[in-house]
Amino acid sequence: MTTDPQIRLATEIAAQFRHRPPDEAAEAIARHIRSFWDPRMRAGLSAQVEAGAVTDPLVLAAVRLLQR
């Protein structure tokens, strides 16, 4: 099974913020993605979330923040 690169990268970013409270971690992940990811990468991650491929709760919360 291969993992989409955006999912893998977002999960790796989430791992760096797991020590923070969930709301704070999700905001930090969203801020990182917004700052450093190309719009196509963000769109790909959002599409994966909509398709149900993302299971990490911090990544899901971060993507929801990005979609606002």
Side-chain angles (χ1 to χ4, degrees), residues 33-50:
I33 291 171
R34 194 177 298 118
S35 296
F36 297 106
W37 285 30
D38 179 277
R40 292 170 294 179
M41 291 176 69
R42 291 192 303 265
L45 181 60
S46 289
Q48 292 295 320
V49 166
E50 296 305 320

Side-chain angles (χ1 to χ4, degrees), residues 1-49:
M1 180 172 112
T2 60
T3 301
D4 185 78
Q6 286 87 359
I7 295 172
R8 184 182 53 77
L9 288 170
T11 303
E12 288 175 4
I13 294 165
Q16 302 303 312
F17 294 103
R18 291 203 193 283
H19 66 282
R20 294 187 181 183
D23 291 344
E24 192 177 305
E27 183 58 45
I29 296 162
R31 188 172 37 252
H32 178 91
I33 291 171
R34 194 177 298 118
S35 296
F36 297 106
W37 285 30
D38 179 277
R40 292 170 294 179
M41 291 176 69
R42 291 192 303 265
L45 181 60
S46 289
Q48 292 295 320
V49 166

Side-chain angles (χ1 to χ4, degrees), residues 45-61:
L45 181 60
S46 289
Q48 292 295 320
V49 166
E50 296 305 320
V54 178
T55 58
D56 187 301
L58 287 179
V59 174
L60 290 172

